[in-house]
Every structure is written in structure tokens, then in C-alpha cells.
Amino acid sequence: MTAVVGVLCCDGVVIGTDSSATFTQGSQRTIEQPTEKLRIVGDSMIVAGAGQVGLGQRFNRIANNAYNSSLLSGSDHIEFAKALSRMAIEDFSHTYLKPGLYGSLIGFHMGGRPRLCEFAVSDFQPEFKDEGIWYVSMGSGQPITDPFLALMRNIFWSDGLPTIQDATFAVTWALEHAIEVNPGGINGPIRVAVLERRKEVGHSYVARILENSELQEHKEQIRTMEALLRRYAASQKSSDDAPNIPRLQTDQPQS
């Protein structure tokens, strides 16, 4: 069970996950254990997955090999994503597996721009996020995170792509919400990775997983936002503002 959220930003990429692995016996869930669902490949690619752990291990190796080859040195991001999709589907077929049990989000840069690509669970075909739709979620938590991200877009991102700072806030909040209300199998700690330009490396894009202290700042902002919403809700309950309700007249007894 998984919640994976990704956002393409005007200055990079943000991808976040929960950290719960669910053990099963047949169709029966047994226990949950913490696990790492985010991977930094090289120093400038983020990989996150939803589905079977073993398939994630295999795709991480494919992404690592692609990163260390000449594939990432090109300028055609679509061809790069097609190559990853083709290699993954071929690898999965070696054990007679059809698509439908694993999906992934990857963040990288190519052609001087940050890229966020979704490899759908259903068929592992690549789809890049752009200025039209710049956020995505996958995993069992998707019915929770998709509507939440749509709300974030309507409120905070109505002008277009968010910044890394704003997207990290929204991704953290979406994952907190999914962990709080999911029926089981999605749990913390929240993990968030960013692909951003760094001055110390000549403003090149670098991928890293955020420290807990950095996430704590966003969690404090979330608590502040929740308090504002509660104050607004309380202000609407003032009895002074309640409308006068007319009393119903009962029929008088007849003599």
C-alpha cells in the first residue's frame, strides 16, 4: 500500500512518499513495516515507485544503468522515457509478468529543464507532466491524494507551476492527509525529495532527500493553515449572525 505524489515546479521537481510496506499472505494483509520508497540515482535523478517491492528493486537497477549510460546525455526526454519503459517491460516479461503491478515517478533534467515523468501502473507507459497538468499521484492512496492536490491547485497554484517551496508544502500536506485518513497500509514517516539548482555546483540540477528539520518547517506551516481554517469555521458559528427563525403557529382548539 503506497502514496506517491509528484509535482513539476517552475524551478525543479518535488516527489514525496509514505514509508510503509505491507506484508501479505495471499490476499490477506499481515503486518506493516517501514521502508524507503524514494531513491536518488547518481546525483540528479529521483525515482519513486508504487507496487511490488521486488519490481521496484528491478526498476531502480534499470534507472541506475540508464543514468550511467549515454541515454541521459541526450536532449530528447521522450526518447529517454521510452527507453526506460521498454527496458522495464522487457525485464518484467523475463519472469512472465504483465504490466499492472508496478508504477513509478521519476524526476530528472534534460534539455536544460526539469522533467517529471509518470510510468503508469496500468501499462508502464511514460507520461510527462507539463504546464497543463503538473501534478500526479499513484498507489493505493491515489483516491485520497488526487482530490487534495486538485484543491491545492485551485487555491495556491491557479497562476501555474508552483515553486519547489510551495510544492513541498502541498506534497507534505497531501501525504499527511493520506496517512491520517487512509483505511490501512499507508504510514509515515513522510519522505520528500527535490530536484533543484544548487549554487555550489554551478547552478546545475541536484537531487536530494530533504532532512527531517526541513520537513518540520512545512509541517509547522500546515498547522498554522489548519488553525486559520478552524478560526474561520468558528467565526461562522456565531449565534449573533444566526437568522431569526419564525415560530410555527399551532391550530387553536375549536369550541
Side-chain angles (χ1 to χ4, degrees), residues 7 66 91 120 150 162 191 217 236 241:
V7 180
D91 180 274
R191 301 285 277 163
E217 295 177 6
Q236 304 305 301
D241 297 331

Side-chain angles (χ1 to χ4, degrees), residues 121 129 191 240:
V121 173
K129 305 308 159 184
R191 301 285 277 163
D240 294 338

Side-chain angles (χ1 to χ4, degrees), residues 20-254:
S20 177
T22 305
F23 288 52
T24 61
Q25 183 180 27
S27 60
Q28 179 67 38
R29 288 186 290 177
T30 56
I31 62 172
E32 288 183 42
Q33 293 286 281
T35 189
E36 180 63 76
K37 300 179 182 179
L38 273 178
R39 295 287 184 274
I40 302 299
V41 177
D43 62 356
S44 58
M45 181 186 290
I46 307 168
V47 180
Q52 293 188 2
V53 173
L55 297 178
Q57 294 168 346
R58 289 157 67 175
F59 184 65
N60 286 334
R61 185 179 67 174
I62 290 168
N64 188 74
N65 291 341
Y67 182 89
N68 292 323
S69 72
S70 60
L71 285 174
L72 199 57
S73 61
S75 59
D76 193 326
H77 58 287
I78 291 180
E79 289 302 318
F80 175 70
K82 285 167 57 179
L84 282 180
S85 174
R86 182 171 59 251
M87 289 187 290
I89 292 174
E90 181 180 359
D91 180 274
F92 297 161
S93 71
H94 289 170
T95 49
Y96 304 100
L97 179 74
K98 295 180 179 180
L101 295 176
Y102 181 76
S104 181
L105 297 183
I106 65 169
F108 63 101
H109 67 94
M110 184 174 283
R113 294 179 54 187
R115 310 286 183 177
L116 174 61
C117 186
E118 173 192 7
F119 294 87
V121 173
S122 60
D123 55 13
F124 215 76
Q125 295 304 300
E127 178 183 304
F128 280 93
K129 305 308 159 184
D130 54 25
E131 289 77 6
I133 297 292
W134 54 83
Y135 60 87
V136 58
S137 69
M138 62 171 47
S140 60
Q142 187 174 354
I144 302 172
T145 50
D146 270 358
F148 194 92
L149 291 171
L151 177 64
M152 294 295 99
R153 173 174 177 162
N154 289 340
I155 296 175
F156 298 113
W157 304 336
S158 58
D159 294 332
L161 301 179
T163 64
I164 288 176
Q165 182 77 5
D166 291 342
T168 302
F169 168 80
V171 167
T172 303
W173 200 356
L175 290 171
E176 274 201 348
H177 179 62
I179 290 170
E180 181 178 356
V181 304
N182 83 91
I186 301 173
N187 218 326
I190 291 169
R191 301 285 277 163
V192 177
V194 299
L195 177 70
E196 59 187 350
R197 290 187 183 272
R198 304 287 291 184
K199 294 180 181 178
E200 59 268 28
V201 290
H203 294 277
S204 296
Y205 282 102
V206 176
R208 66 186 182 92
I209 296 178
L210 299 183
E211 300 288 342
N212 289 334
S213 59
E214 296 175 279
L215 285 182
Q216 187 59 37
E217 295 177 6
H218 291 283
K219 291 178 181 180
E220 291 172 359
Q221 292 175 349
I222 291 168
R223 302 291 85 79
T224 299
M225 184 63 68
E226 290 173 338
L228 288 172
L229 291 172
R230 290 190 184 98
R231 285 202 293 271
Y232 172 78
S235 71
Q236 304 305 301
K237 296 179 181 179
S238 173
S239 60
D240 294 338
D241 297 331
N244 293 324
I245 301 176
R247 294 183 178 181
L248 295 176
Q249 293 184 350
T250 59
D251 294 337
Q252 298 295 322
Q254 295 180 356

